[in-house]
Amino acid sequence: MNHHLSLDALHTVWDNALPPALTVASGDTVTLDTLDASGGAVARRVASGELSAPEDLRALILADARDPLSGPRGHPLTGPLFVDGARPGDALRIEILDVRTAAWGWTGCCPDGIGLLDAALAAEGLRPHTHLWDLRAGTHADFRPGIRVPLAPFPGVIGVAPAAPGPQPTAPPRHVGGNMDVRQLVAGSTLWLPVEVPGALLSAGDLHAAQGDGEVSGTGIETDGQLTLRVHVEPQAGITTPEFTTPTSGGQSRQWHATTGHHPDLMTAARIALRAVLRRLEARGLSLEDAYVLASACVDLKISQIVDAPNYTVSAFLPLDIFREG
């Protein structure tokens, strides 16, 4: 069955006490309308005259200006979805079928923000800055003449409700997903999340039209959009941290299986991700030692985000093309 959730179903915290916005069955497809990470604040700044916009984008931006969200500050997330049959200990398998951006987006920096170099660059005179992007080409966005950025849209935030009582902030990613900012979660990817509460309570948002690994200024190309997912329940799957397959990583394989680690210590986050990869290799019949040396030969560790305090996100990419049939 196909479902749709509009922007009427927004929340800004993780909380397993939130009432579900929609109940779906395993195997159902749902399209989520999503709001940009600023909650429409950038569009409101254009409408107020605080921020200037290119003339050919101005009307499109003004059409997206909306009243501020009520409630705690956080990423505007669409959901939660209650998935029938999902129980603690299960995994929610999420196929990312389509990611569509709005006609425009923005990227910003400021000297007192969350970016990797904010404090250092403030001493060099860094000022608050917002760049507006024209996304209408669909495949790329021109930064300025001679500089073109390819688009690869993905949800910056996708997760299920944690067992710990809420409300909890959306900024740090967790072992149940959330603000992971993993740019490889494009259409064609499949994500597994560990379920901790009945129904899983899946929410998503914070679409990015493009982003570099690390999201170093604290923002990608932030945008409104639509996210289409198909959800499945995998009973007692043994998943303890988000894992995914993806058609893109930057290497030579056609597909990768990636695991993630989220922790305030970067090395610990990397170890969590790597240990989960070794479990995957052991499940294929390798000894622990063989899994470890094979991973050293071909697994890529990537810092997916380094700005969502207090947790870093490290992803470990296993190239699936190394496994040949026959």
Side-chain angles (χ1 to χ4, degrees), residues 10-319:
L10 290 176
H11 61 94
T12 58
V13 294
W14 293 111
D15 192 340
N16 58 39
L18 288 173
L22 181 68
T23 297
V24 301
S26 181
D28 282 1
T29 298
V30 60
T31 296
L32 309 176
D33 294 342
T34 65
L35 186 61
D36 78 285
S38 78
V42 171
R44 292 194 296 273
R45 290 171 61 201
V46 172
S48 70
E50 177 189 345
L51 184 63
S52 61
E55 196 57 38
D56 60 340
L57 282 183
R58 183 174 173 80
L60 295 169
I61 296 173
L62 294 181
D64 289 335
R66 53 183 288 141
D67 292 336
L69 298 173
S70 59
R73 183 177 180 181
H75 294 87
L77 303 181
T78 307
L81 299 177
F82 185 99
V83 184
D84 264 339
R87 297 287 182 267
D90 296 345
L92 197 63
R93 173 164 57 92
I94 304 158
E95 297 176 70
I96 301 178
L97 303 179
D98 193 25
V99 188
R100 299 190 179 188
T101 73
W104 68 281
W106 63 273
T107 305
C109 66
C110 60
D112 56 353
I114 63 171
L116 183 60
L117 293 177
D118 287 355
L121 294 180
E124 299 177 29
L126 180 71
R127 295 177 295 176
H129 176 68
T130 301
H131 180 82
L132 299 174
W133 301 82
D134 186 340
L135 306 179
R136 288 175 290 180
T139 57
H140 64 271
D142 290 326
F143 184 71
R144 60 180 60 179
I147 303 178
R148 175 168 289 182
V149 175
L151 301 184
F154 70 96
V157 179
I158 182 168
V160 295
Q168 298 184 43
T170 62
R174 297 170 170 85
H175 61 285
V176 288
N179 189 30
M180 299 184 290
D181 289 319
V182 176
R183 69 178 182 89
Q184 291 82 10
L185 285 174
V186 295
S189 301
T190 299
L191 171 68
W192 286 262
L193 296 174
V195 174
E196 289 197 342
V197 299
L201 299 179
L202 172 69
S203 299
D206 185 32
L207 295 196
H208 296 172
Q211 179 201 291
D213 285 322
E215 197 186 21
V216 295
S217 83
T219 53
I221 300 182
E222 312 289 334
T223 181
D224 295 353
Q226 277 194 334
L227 175 66
T228 301
L229 311 169
R230 185 181 294 121
V231 297
H232 309 264
V233 176
E234 294 191 357
Q236 301 301 307
I239 298 293
T240 59
T241 190
E243 302 187 17
F244 59 96
T245 60
T246 177
T248 178
S249 172
Q252 298 303 311
S253 185
R254 291 167 297 177
Q255 194 175 43
W256 290 259
H257 187 106
T259 59
T260 62
H262 312 279
H263 197 274
D265 178 74
L266 186 62
M267 295 298 289
T268 301
R271 291 181 178 117
I272 292 170
L274 179 59
R275 188 64 190 89
V277 161
L278 298 187
R279 283 196 294 268
R280 284 288 163 184
L281 290 171
E282 289 176 279
R284 287 179 173 265
L286 275 67
S287 68
L288 176 61
E289 294 77 15
D290 280 345
Y292 199 14
V293 297
L294 178 61
S296 190
C298 67
V299 167
D300 291 328
L301 291 180
K302 297 178 181 288
I303 300 174
S304 293
Q305 66 79 22
I306 203 166
V307 293
D308 296 329
N311 290 342
Y312 300 109
T313 297
V314 174
S315 299
F317 286 79
L318 171 67

